[in-house]
Amino acid sequence: MAHPEMLKLPEVLTEIKMSRAAFYRMRARGQAPRLRKLPNGQVRVSRADLDAWWERCEQQAA
């Protein structure tokens, strides 16, 4: 079974063109893609979660 693509937070921020502070404000409101914390303390976002979040944003904008 293939492992899902996991993106580092800087990669996500670059893709969505958002600052870290803005991302965490959205996260506090429950409006950001889901973060997964690794045992070493780093965070990742799965490609599937990010794509689903983009889809929700597009639907809400329509």
Side-chain angles (χ1 to χ4, degrees), residues 5-61:
E5 181 183 6
M6 300 299 285
L7 304 169
K8 294 178 180 179
L9 187 56
E11 295 170 324
V12 172
L13 297 174
T14 298
E15 183 172 329
I16 65 176
K17 296 176 177 51
M18 184 178 288
S19 71
R20 183 180 296 263
F23 180 86
Y24 278 102
R25 282 193 302 271
M26 284 183 62
R27 185 169 183 256
R29 293 189 305 259
Q31 299 173 334
R34 184 175 132 195
L35 291 180
R36 299 174 191 221
K37 193 167 190 175
L38 301 178
N40 64 4
Q42 295 180 2
V43 294
R44 297 287 189 272
V45 177
S46 77
R47 168 55 65 189
D49 287 345
L50 183 59
D51 290 345
W53 176 80
W54 273 120
E55 184 67 30
R56 286 192 306 274
C57 288
E58 289 175 1
Q59 289 173 359
Q60 291 171 357

